[in-house]
């Protein structure tokens, strides 16, 4: 595939272009250092995907994505950023993936896989199927049915209306990979799906959320961000 990398910082641009160039699925890597240059290039060249920084002078990456969404056939977008707080906005813009800096080669390879497979792993038609082990049999749980995720050492427990499932994936990895699907951290040991939050409760400065009839505590450092995200989601 032919991909376009957009970042206003030259070291980050060069590193990302190099890593993508090492992937056998990527035949050509083009680079731009601004949104304006990107729009000019896209008028002349068709690309299979965009790897886009969020914070740039002039048009930000999110604003550029809004412009590209008006294209008849907008290219798939992977946001690559050091700022995790924009993940929900990226999800609303139908980003294929949201990769945090510093970029790991294996994490970038996963983003390329999602593009190559032609699936964003979101929504009813493309809902990610999570493999879980039940009595020695591998079954699949739709991510959209998962209300929250609880850390248990190097494992994570996925909670659904039908029960819970233990998977050997650390919570930090799920936080990064599932952020575009609306999963946010509310505590050092908890992720919640914004789509499953029914209530936010405040009592003497203590914040909790009700998710699938379970009341979960929100840490002080995550309270403001969670409320802002939920209000923005409700407004949109």
């Amino acid at each position: 595939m032919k991909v376009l990398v957009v970042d206003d910082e030259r070291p980050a641009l060069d590193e990302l272009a190099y890593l993508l160039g090492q992937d056998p699925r990527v035949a050509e890597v083009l680079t731009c250092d601004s949104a304006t240059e990107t729009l000019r290039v896209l008028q002349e060249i068709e690309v299979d995907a965009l790897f886009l920084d969020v914070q740039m002078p002039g048009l930000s990456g999110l604003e550029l994505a809004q412009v590209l969404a008006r294209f008849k056939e907008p290219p798939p977008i992977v946001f690559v950023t050091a700022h995790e707080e924009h993940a929900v906005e990226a999800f609303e813009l139908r980003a294929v993936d949201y990769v945090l800096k510093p970029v790991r080669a294996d994490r970038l390879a996963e983003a390329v896989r999602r593009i190559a497979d032609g699936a964003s792993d979101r929504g009813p038609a493309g809902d990610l199927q999570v493999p879980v082990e039940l009595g020695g049999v591998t079954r699949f749980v739709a991510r959209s049915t998962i209300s929250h995720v609880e850390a248990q050492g190097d494992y994570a427990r996925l909670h659904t209306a039908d029960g819970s499932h233990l998977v050997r994936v650390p919570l930090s990895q799920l936080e990064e990979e599932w952020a575009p699907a609306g999963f946010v951290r509310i505590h050092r040991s908890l992720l919640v799906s914004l789509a499953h939050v029914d209530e936010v409760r405040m009592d003497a400065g203590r914040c909790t959320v009700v998710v699938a009839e379970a009341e979960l505590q929100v840490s002080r450092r995550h309270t403001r961000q969670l409320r802002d995200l939920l209000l923005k989601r409700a407004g949109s």
Side-chain angles (χ1 to χ4, degrees), residues 23-193:
D23 194 304
R25 295 164 293 189
V26 177
E28 185 176 358
V29 181
L30 307 175
T31 61
C32 290
D33 60 9
S34 70
T36 303
E37 184 185 2
T38 300
L39 290 171
R40 186 166 56 248
V41 168
L42 291 177
Q43 287 179 346
E44 302 173 358
I45 300 173
E46 185 175 337
V47 300
D48 297 300
L50 234 63
F51 287 79
L52 184 59
D53 188 22
V54 170
Q55 294 194 346
M56 299 187 294
L59 276 181
S60 71
L62 293 169
E63 291 168 333
L64 175 57
Q66 291 173 349
V67 173
L68 296 177
R70 301 190 184 102
F71 282 27
K72 184 177 180 180
E73 294 184 6
I77 293 176
V78 172
F79 285 102
V80 184
T81 176
H83 305 278
E84 63 182 23
E85 64 269 21
H86 301 295
V88 173
E89 293 172 87
F91 170 63
E92 292 170 348
L93 289 168
R94 303 188 63 81
V96 170
D97 207 345
Y98 193 89
V99 179
L100 292 177
K101 297 177 181 177
V103 179
R104 305 193 317 269
D106 62 332
R107 183 67 184 86
L108 191 61
E110 169 64 14
V112 174
R113 182 197 67 76
R114 293 184 181 186
I115 296 167
D117 288 350
S120 63
D121 294 338
R122 296 190 315 276
D127 199 3
L128 178 66
Q129 302 298 306
V130 183
V132 298
E133 295 292 330
L134 293 173
V137 177
T138 300
R139 297 186 180 178
F140 294 88
V141 174
R143 181 171 58 187
S144 62
T145 67
I146 299 170
S147 60
H148 59 289
V149 185
E150 181 182 5
Q152 293 191 350
D154 292 332
Y155 292 75
R157 184 167 293 281
L158 314 178
H159 292 268
T160 72
D162 298 325
S164 66
H165 311 278
L166 199 63
V167 293
R168 192 168 186 174
V169 182
L171 194 71
S172 58
Q173 181 178 334
L174 292 181
E175 177 185 15
E176 181 178 345
E177 294 182 2
W178 290 8
F183 283 80
V184 297
R185 188 184 287 264
I186 64 167
H187 191 276
R188 64 182 180 182
S189 62
L190 283 171
L191 294 180
V192 298
S193 167

